[in-house]
Short mmCIF file of all heavy atoms in Angstrom, two decimals:
data_model
loop_
_atom_site.label_atom_id
_atom_site.label_comp_id
_atom_site.label_asym_id
_atom_site.label_seq_id
_atom_site.Cartn_x
_atom_site.Cartn_y
_atom_site.Cartn_z
N ASP A 52 144.17 -40.41 79.78
CA ASP A 52 145.32 -41.06 80.39
C ASP A 52 145.60 -40.39 81.74
O ASP A 52 144.89 -39.48 82.16
CB ASP A 52 146.54 -41.06 79.46
CG ASP A 52 147.18 -39.69 79.28
OD1 ASP A 52 146.88 -38.77 80.08
OD2 ASP A 52 147.97 -39.54 78.34
N SER A 54 147.57 -38.29 82.74
CA SER A 54 148.03 -36.91 82.82
C SER A 54 146.89 -35.95 83.12
O SER A 54 147.15 -34.79 83.48
CB SER A 54 148.72 -36.49 81.51
OG SER A 54 147.78 -36.43 80.46
N PRO A 56 144.89 -35.59 85.65
CA PRO A 56 144.82 -34.94 86.96
C PRO A 56 145.63 -33.65 87.04
O PRO A 56 145.34 -32.80 87.89
CB PRO A 56 145.41 -36.00 87.90
CG PRO A 56 145.18 -37.30 87.23
CD PRO A 56 145.34 -36.99 85.77
N SER A 64 143.40 -26.43 92.71
CA SER A 64 144.31 -25.66 93.55
C SER A 64 144.10 -24.16 93.41
O SER A 64 144.39 -23.40 94.34
CB SER A 64 145.76 -26.03 93.24
OG SER A 64 146.10 -25.73 91.90
N GLN A 83 157.72 -39.49 88.12
CA GLN A 83 158.81 -39.15 87.21
C GLN A 83 158.85 -37.63 87.03
O GLN A 83 157.86 -37.02 86.63
CB GLN A 83 158.59 -39.82 85.85
CG GLN A 83 159.80 -39.84 84.96
CD GLN A 83 160.86 -40.83 85.44
OE1 GLN A 83 160.57 -41.73 86.22
NE2 GLN A 83 162.07 -40.65 84.99
N GLU A 89 159.77 -33.76 78.81
CA GLU A 89 158.34 -33.44 78.86
C GLU A 89 157.83 -33.63 80.29
O GLU A 89 157.94 -34.72 80.85
CB GLU A 89 157.55 -34.33 77.89
CG GLU A 89 156.03 -34.17 77.95
CD GLU A 89 155.59 -32.74 77.73
OE1 GLU A 89 155.94 -32.16 76.68
OE2 GLU A 89 154.88 -32.20 78.62
N ALA A 100 151.94 -32.57 91.26
CA ALA A 100 151.11 -32.22 92.42
C ALA A 100 151.96 -31.63 93.54
O ALA A 100 151.60 -30.61 94.13
CB ALA A 100 150.34 -33.44 92.91
N ILE A 116 150.78 -49.85 94.74
CA ILE A 116 151.99 -49.90 93.92
C ILE A 116 152.51 -51.34 93.78
O ILE A 116 152.61 -52.08 94.77
CB ILE A 116 153.10 -49.02 94.54
CG1 ILE A 116 152.56 -47.59 94.78
CG2 ILE A 116 154.33 -49.01 93.65
CD1 ILE A 116 152.01 -46.92 93.56
N PHE A 126 160.99 -44.35 93.14
CA PHE A 126 161.00 -44.68 94.57
C PHE A 126 161.84 -43.67 95.35
O PHE A 126 161.48 -43.28 96.46
CB PHE A 126 161.53 -46.10 94.79
CG PHE A 126 160.54 -47.17 94.46
CD1 PHE A 126 160.62 -47.86 93.26
CD2 PHE A 126 159.52 -47.50 95.34
CE1 PHE A 126 159.70 -48.86 92.95
CE2 PHE A 126 158.60 -48.49 95.05
CZ PHE A 126 158.69 -49.17 93.85
N ARG A 130 160.71 -41.30 98.63
CA ARG A 130 161.43 -41.23 99.90
C ARG A 130 161.90 -39.81 100.19
O ARG A 130 161.78 -39.32 101.32
CB ARG A 130 162.62 -42.18 99.88
CG ARG A 130 162.23 -43.65 99.90
CD ARG A 130 163.45 -44.53 100.16
NE ARG A 130 164.45 -44.41 99.11
CZ ARG A 130 164.50 -45.20 98.04
NH1 ARG A 130 163.59 -46.15 97.88
NH2 ARG A 130 165.45 -45.04 97.13
N VAL A 173 145.21 -49.97 89.06
CA VAL A 173 145.37 -50.35 90.47
C VAL A 173 144.59 -51.62 90.77
O VAL A 173 144.91 -52.36 91.71
CB VAL A 173 144.93 -49.20 91.40
CG1 VAL A 173 143.40 -49.09 91.46
CG2 VAL A 173 145.50 -49.39 92.80
N ASP A 183 144.69 -49.33 80.25
CA ASP A 183 145.81 -49.14 79.33
C ASP A 183 147.07 -49.89 79.76
O ASP A 183 147.88 -50.25 78.92
CB ASP A 183 146.11 -47.64 79.22
CG ASP A 183 147.08 -47.35 78.10
OD1 ASP A 183 146.82 -47.78 76.96
OD2 ASP A 183 148.10 -46.68 78.37
N LEU A 190 144.33 -54.82 93.39
CA LEU A 190 143.14 -54.82 94.24
C LEU A 190 142.04 -55.63 93.58
O LEU A 190 141.87 -55.61 92.36
CB LEU A 190 142.65 -53.39 94.46
CG LEU A 190 143.58 -52.44 95.23
CD1 LEU A 190 142.94 -51.06 95.30
CD2 LEU A 190 143.89 -52.96 96.61
N GLU A 194 137.69 -54.99 97.00
CA GLU A 194 138.55 -54.04 97.70
C GLU A 194 138.44 -52.64 97.13
O GLU A 194 138.41 -51.66 97.88
CB GLU A 194 140.01 -54.51 97.64
CG GLU A 194 140.30 -55.71 98.53
CD GLU A 194 141.70 -56.27 98.33
OE1 GLU A 194 142.22 -56.18 97.18
OE2 GLU A 194 142.27 -56.80 99.30
N ALA A 209 137.21 -33.36 94.30
CA ALA A 209 137.07 -33.80 92.91
C ALA A 209 137.71 -35.17 92.78
O ALA A 209 138.53 -35.57 93.62
CB ALA A 209 137.73 -32.81 91.95
N VAL A 213 140.90 -42.89 85.47
CA VAL A 213 141.66 -42.73 84.23
C VAL A 213 142.15 -44.07 83.69
O VAL A 213 142.07 -45.10 84.34
CB VAL A 213 142.86 -41.79 84.44
CG1 VAL A 213 142.40 -40.43 84.90
CG2 VAL A 213 143.85 -42.39 85.44
N CYS A 226 133.99 -51.26 82.46
CA CYS A 226 133.13 -50.07 82.55
C CYS A 226 132.10 -50.22 83.67
O CYS A 226 131.80 -49.26 84.38
CB CYS A 226 132.43 -49.82 81.22
SG CYS A 226 133.54 -49.26 79.91
N PRO A 246 129.02 -49.54 106.04
CA PRO A 246 128.19 -50.42 105.19
C PRO A 246 126.75 -50.43 105.67
O PRO A 246 126.47 -50.47 106.86
CB PRO A 246 128.85 -51.79 105.36
CG PRO A 246 130.24 -51.50 105.82
CD PRO A 246 130.15 -50.25 106.64
#
Side-chain angles (χ1 to χ4, degrees):
D52 72 15
S54 67
S64 62
Q83 195 73 19
E89 174 56 56
I116 307 304
F126 284 101
R130 291 192 297 269
V173 75
D183 191 53
L190 296 178
E194 287 173 329
V213 300
C226 290

